């Protein structure tokens, strides 16, 4: 996509040069033809080299796609068993690290291959750690470590931290509201039923609060370690 915009700008620049040429070119016809031929030769050389470079980049992206697909095939095969051994899991993790360090793929294949990578990562987390809470913690750590290694990490981490803090404050307000509501519920059959309902909602909110706090901790750990 960036290449497309670059070529578009170059095309616009070329047209602008042509307009200026017609407006400011020399009066002598022979001299104008000579300079115009020279000018076109320079531009043709430039565009031919640019096209060759872009073609090489496209080939490189196709090669990256093929490498990623081949590695993902191996990862999926290693993790296909319901309870793969430690050796298979470690090997799959090493291969996943290779996948994550391979460069760009063709833009048309980007969403498909990224979806497959995410599915393989989730499967790897599941096989490595069956416990959902521990698995979620591993996923959070990996997510924020990758974010910390990305260009512009400070801005992205700060934005994510502010989002999580905002979410945490919302949940804390909900927890306080539920706790206050329970205190003012009258005793009796209807009151007990309502109290039980709010208690369930309160426990869910507290669990969400705990989850967001853990995610915020993982983010700050990754941020301080970068």
């Amino acid at each position: 996509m960036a290449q497309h915009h670059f070529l578009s700008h170059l095309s616009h620049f070329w047209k602008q040069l042509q307009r200026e040429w017609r407006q400011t070119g020399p009066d002598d016809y022979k001299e104008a033809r000579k300079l115009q031929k020279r000018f076109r030769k320079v531009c043709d050389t430039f565009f031919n080299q640019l096209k060759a470079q872009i073609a090489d980049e496209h080939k490189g992206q196709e090669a990256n796609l093929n490498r990623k697909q081949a590695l993902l095939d191996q990862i999926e095969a290693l993790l296909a068993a319901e309870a793969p051994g430690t050796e298979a899991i470690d090997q799959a993790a090493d291969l996943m690290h290779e996948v994550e360090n391979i460069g760009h793929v063709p833009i048309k294949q980007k969403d498909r291959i990224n979806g497959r990578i995410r599915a393989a990562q989730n499967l790897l987390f599941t096989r490595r750690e069956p416990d959902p809470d521990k698995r979620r913690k591993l996923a959070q750590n990996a997510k924020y470590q990758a974010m910390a290694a990305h260009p512009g990490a400070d801005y992205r981490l700060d934005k994510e931290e502010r989002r999580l803090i905002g979410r945490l404050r919302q949940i804390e307000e909900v927890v306080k509201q539920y706790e206050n509501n329970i205190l003012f519920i009258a005793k009796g059959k209807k009151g007990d039923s309502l109290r039980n309902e709010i208690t369930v909602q309160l426990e869910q909110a507290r669990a969400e609060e705990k989850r967001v706090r853990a995610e915020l901790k993982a983010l700050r750990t990754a941020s301080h370690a970068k």
Side-chain angles (χ1 to χ4, degrees):
M1 187 62 68
Q3 292 170 349
H4 174 76
H5 290 313
F6 182 54
L7 284 174
S8 178
H9 286 308
L10 283 177
S11 177
H12 177 75
F13 178 64
W14 164 248
K15 291 177 181 178
Q16 180 65 30
L17 283 178
Q18 287 179 315
R19 284 194 292 270
E20 291 182 13
W21 176 270
R22 288 193 293 268
Q23 294 171 3
T24 63
D27 294 331
D28 184 83
Y29 177 76
K30 289 184 178 180
E31 185 67 18
R33 292 281 293 175
K34 183 179 178 181
L35 289 174
Q36 187 177 37
K37 184 177 180 180
R38 185 179 175 187
F39 177 67
R40 285 185 178 277
K41 183 178 180 181
V42 171
C43 289
D44 288 344
T45 300
F46 174 78
F47 277 106
N48 288 337
Q49 291 176 348
L50 180 63
K51 288 178 182 178
Q53 180 182 350
I54 291 174
D56 287 341
E57 289 178 359
H58 286 168
K59 289 180 181 178
Q61 290 178 355
E62 287 290 344
N64 290 341
L65 175 63
N66 292 334
R67 286 181 62 200
K68 286 187 177 184
Q69 290 183 142
L71 290 171
L72 287 168
D73 287 342
Q74 296 180 55
I75 292 170
E76 290 163 356
L78 287 166
L79 301 176
E82 189 169 337
T86 302
E87 183 177 349
I89 293 174
D90 290 343
Q91 187 178 349
D94 290 340
L95 293 174
M96 181 57 72
H97 183 69
E98 287 187 46
V99 170
E100 293 168 346
N101 283 282
I102 295 173
H104 296 297
V105 301
I107 189 69
K108 291 182 179 180
Q109 301 291 336
K110 181 180 177 181
D111 290 343
R112 182 184 66 81
I113 202 69
N114 284 347
R116 192 175 172 193
I117 289 171
R118 285 192 295 270
Q121 288 172 331
N122 291 336
L123 183 60
L124 178 59
F125 281 130
T126 301
R127 296 294 190 258
R128 175 176 280 174
E129 180 50 70
D131 182 85
D133 291 333
K134 292 181 180 179
R135 188 164 66 245
R136 183 169 56 248
K137 185 177 180 180
L138 285 173
Q140 288 172 352
N141 291 339
K143 171 185 174 182
Y144 292 126
Q145 286 170 8
M147 189 180 290
H150 194 278
D154 290 340
Y155 170 78
R156 298 179 69 187
L157 289 168
D158 181 65
K159 182 179 179 181
E160 180 68 5
E161 182 175 10
R162 284 186 278 110
R163 184 189 71 81
L164 289 173
I165 290 174
R167 176 60 180 153
L168 184 60
R169 287 173 179 169
Q170 289 177 343
I171 298 170
E172 288 173 343
E173 288 299 318
V174 170
V175 168
K176 289 179 181 178
Q177 188 64 50
Y178 284 148
E179 289 174 340
N180 288 335
N181 289 346
I182 288 175
L183 293 176
F184 292 100
I185 295 175
K187 293 182 178 180
K189 188 175 181 180
K190 290 184 178 180
D192 291 343
S193 176
L194 181 58
R195 186 181 295 104
N196 290 337
E197 181 180 338
I198 294 178
T199 298
V200 170
Q201 294 173 335
L202 173 60
E203 292 306 315
Q204 290 174 343
R206 284 173 174 167
E208 177 69 3
E209 180 183 1
K210 182 179 178 181
R211 186 194 66 76
V212 174
R213 287 187 184 280
E215 191 168 355
L216 187 59
K217 181 180 178 181
L219 182 148
R220 286 172 173 168
T221 299
S223 180
H224 293 155
K226 75 178 183 66

